[in-house]
Amino acid sequence: ALITSQHFESARHLFMEMKEPAATVTPDIETYNTYFKGIKEAINSGEHIDLSMMCALLKEMGSRDIKPNSITFNIILEICACSGRPDLAWKSFLDMQNIYSFQPNSLTYCLMVKNIMLTENGATYFDMLFPSLIQFIGNFIHLVDDQLINIVFDLCGKISDIGKIDHLMSIFEHHHRKLSLISYGKLIQIYAHKQFGHKIKCIAILMKKEKVDPNEITYGCLMEAFLKCDMVDEVEETFKDIIQTNSSLCNVIIYTTLIRAFGKKRHFQKVMEVYERLKSDPKIKPNRIAYNSLLDCCIKCEKYDKMSEIFADMTKNHNTAPPAEQIHPDLITYSTLIKGMCKADNMDKAMEIYQEMKHKRMPLDAFLSDSMLTGFAKSKKSIELSSQILE
């Protein structure tokens, strides 16, 4: 109760009193574990704690013939993580096995990985831990929970060690251990960051094989990952899979990703087909990000005449819709419009949009200024227009 209420000094005094020879109540393993928890909470609250006291407490427990248990060591590993001491965590991890004959459990490995995540030398420590981790997973696959799998994937992604992920996946496949949606999502994001499109595709195939039903978040991550790897056909294939299996999972993010994918390949007709489908979907409405993506596609596909039409669609309900349903252009919207007008050599329209930005007190960044000046340099009104920008 004293620790929970953060009365750490009072808890220390009570603990010391219990160890006095005349005390009527003596400490047991639960007492020591609770005191270790108090150390962790004190560190989290900002107190400076000399961690050498943990070794002293373990020796003291031995002198009282109190044997630490797995809870004791897991709390110690939490303390090391709070203190940023992976070296001390590694020593405790070895001591619990070599001195006290305790085998690490799933939580122990989670805490070890957490310690490694917090150090700059993560790859070195993970190389040291990995053989033991692999042995534990192989021998006790039924005890391996999603928490451990996910934090290990996180660490592999952080240190860019795809080889260890491959090793783990082979073990999971051998033991028929299915992964959770969260685990698959982490793998997709890791592979997307490394632009390993073939591995992303393997994950998609594996999910189907294991009859894992993705949710809208997983589908969104999968489509975004394929797009990042320039695999537009796979983006479209994933969208079709959503429509065929559970169209209710479609959302504006999924539609927008498909729009961006077709825009990247300059398939403007498909961009507009998706846009029309989005507008006709009674459950979904385009948002500002979707409209900005459409405007960007117009530039990529050199369909500058369509930009005004799309912008009109974006703002047409300003006078009729409730404020919450109105879509207001932002800096990206106006910047994209101006960029498109400059490329189309429509400098008067670009200046009109620029004046509207000024009227709304929107900032004009250096990139946009350079784009406008470059465009105006080609115009007959170059001196007049450029001077207005420079002002």
Side-chain angles (χ1 to χ4, degrees):
L2 291 171
I3 290 170
T4 302
S5 59
Q6 296 191 341
H7 291 90
F8 304 123
E9 194 60 36
S10 298
R12 290 188 193 103
H13 284 305
L14 179 59
F15 182 61
M16 297 303 291
E17 287 177 10
M18 291 177 68
K19 294 191 289 184
E20 292 291 335
T24 55
V25 179
T26 57
D28 57 11
I29 182 61
E30 290 186 10
T31 310
Y32 277 95
N33 285 347
T34 303
Y35 191 70
F36 276 118
K37 288 179 184 176
I39 295 173
K40 183 193 74 172
E41 295 301 326
I43 293 171
N44 284 335
S45 69
E47 283 195 35
H48 175 73
I49 303 292
D50 183 1
L51 297 186
S52 63
M53 71 181 298
M54 293 194 301
C55 296
L57 285 170
L58 286 171
K59 289 180 180 178
E60 182 180 290
M61 290 170 68
S63 68
R64 291 176 173 271
D65 201 25
I66 299 174
K67 188 178 180 181
N69 57 22
S70 58
I71 295 173
T72 313
F73 286 105
N74 286 342
I75 298 170
I76 289 173
L77 293 179
E78 287 189 79
I79 292 170
C80 294
C82 294
S83 308
R85 291 292 304 274
D87 56 325
L88 192 56
W90 182 252
K91 181 182 182 304
S92 300
F93 178 74
L94 295 178
D95 286 350
M96 72 178 291
Q97 298 170 80
N98 300 333
I99 299 176
Y100 298 97
S101 300
F102 274 106
Q103 290 305 309
N105 57 24
S106 188
L107 178 58
T108 308
Y109 282 106
C110 280
L111 293 169
M112 283 301 298
V113 173
K114 182 180 179 180
N115 272 279
I116 295 171
M117 290 274 284
L118 299 173
T119 178
E120 294 180 359
N121 301 322
T124 301
Y125 279 107
F126 196 34
D127 285 342
M128 293 159 54
L129 179 69
F130 197 67
S132 175
L133 174 64
I134 289 297
Q135 185 177 16
F136 172 76
I137 292 174
N139 292 339
F140 304 101
I141 192 69
H142 59 289
L143 298 178
V144 178
D145 56 21
D146 291 338
Q147 182 185 11
L148 176 58
I149 293 172
N150 292 338
I151 196 170
V152 170
F153 283 165
D154 283 338
L155 178 56
C156 289
K158 181 181 178 182
I159 63 177
S160 299
D161 196 332
I162 304 302
K164 286 186 173 60
I165 292 178
D166 291 342
H167 195 158
L168 288 164
M169 291 300 288
S170 66
I171 295 174
F172 296 147
E173 184 178 4
H174 177 75
H175 289 281
H176 306 288
R177 173 60 159 88
K178 292 185 178 181
L179 301 182
S180 68
L181 273 181
I182 294 175
S183 300
Y184 280 120
K186 289 181 181 295
L187 287 176
I188 291 167
Q189 290 175 339
I190 291 168
Y191 292 147
H193 180 70
K194 302 295 291 184
Q195 294 194 340
F196 288 165
H198 63 289
K199 288 188 176 291
I200 298 169
K201 196 165 184 176
C202 286
I203 291 297
I205 292 170
L206 181 60
M207 289 171 69
K208 284 187 177 181
K209 178 183 174 183
E210 295 186 346
K211 297 182 179 179
V212 174
D213 295 324
N215 57 23
E216 63 273 23
I217 297 173
T218 312
Y219 272 128
C221 287
L222 193 58
M223 291 177 66
E224 185 67 34
F226 280 135
L227 177 56
K228 191 168 185 178
C229 297
D230 205 25
M231 299 171 70
V232 173
D233 289 345
E234 283 72 16
V235 176
E236 185 176 13
E237 184 182 324
T238 304
F239 180 79
K240 289 178 179 177
D241 189 46
I242 299 170
I243 298 300
Q244 291 170 3
T245 56
N246 189 353
S247 61
S248 66
L249 294 178
C250 269
N251 57 31
V252 69
I253 297 173
I254 286 171
Y255 275 111
T256 303
T257 305
L258 186 61
I259 287 168
R260 289 166 51 221
F262 287 143
K264 192 173 186 179
K265 289 297 183 181
R266 294 173 172 78
H267 297 328
F268 193 70
Q269 183 178 343
K270 288 190 174 183
V271 168
M272 295 308 293
E273 286 173 1
V274 177
Y275 177 42
E276 291 302 322
R277 182 168 190 158
L278 172 58
K279 288 197 296 181
S280 64
D281 192 320
K283 303 185 298 298
I284 307 171
K285 293 183 179 180
N287 60 13
R288 185 163 53 206
I289 296 173
Y291 280 115
N292 287 346
S293 298
L294 283 161
L295 292 171
D296 186 60
C297 287
C298 291
I299 294 176
K300 285 186 171 71
C301 301
E302 299 182 353
K303 300 292 183 180
Y304 309 115
D305 56 318
K306 281 288 184 179
M307 298 185 77
S308 296
E309 178 185 325
I310 290 169
F311 183 71
D313 281 355
M314 181 181 188
T315 57
K316 66 182 178 182
N317 65 350
H318 278 191
N319 297 324
T320 57
E325 295 181 14
Q326 295 177 12
I327 302 173
H328 295 280
D330 61 2
L331 179 60
I332 295 174
T333 311
Y334 285 113
S335 298
T336 307
L337 282 168
I338 290 173
K339 182 180 177 181
M341 294 304 102
C342 288
K343 284 184 174 292
D345 200 25
N346 189 345
M347 302 308 158
D348 289 334
K349 186 64 177 178
M351 180 53 69
E352 180 185 324
I353 297 167
Y354 170 70
Q355 294 297 343
E356 186 175 341
M357 288 180 69
K358 283 183 66 177
H359 177 71
K360 293 186 176 182
R361 300 181 181 275
M362 300 186 78
L364 183 66
D365 60 23
F367 177 78
L368 180 56
S369 298
D370 289 344
S371 296
M372 292 181 70
L373 290 171
T374 301
F376 292 161
K378 301 174 183 177
S379 169
K380 293 179 180 179
K381 302 179 181 179
S382 59
I383 297 176
E384 175 190 346
L385 295 171
S386 297
S387 64
Q388 292 184 50
I389 299 298
L390 292 172
E391 290 175 3

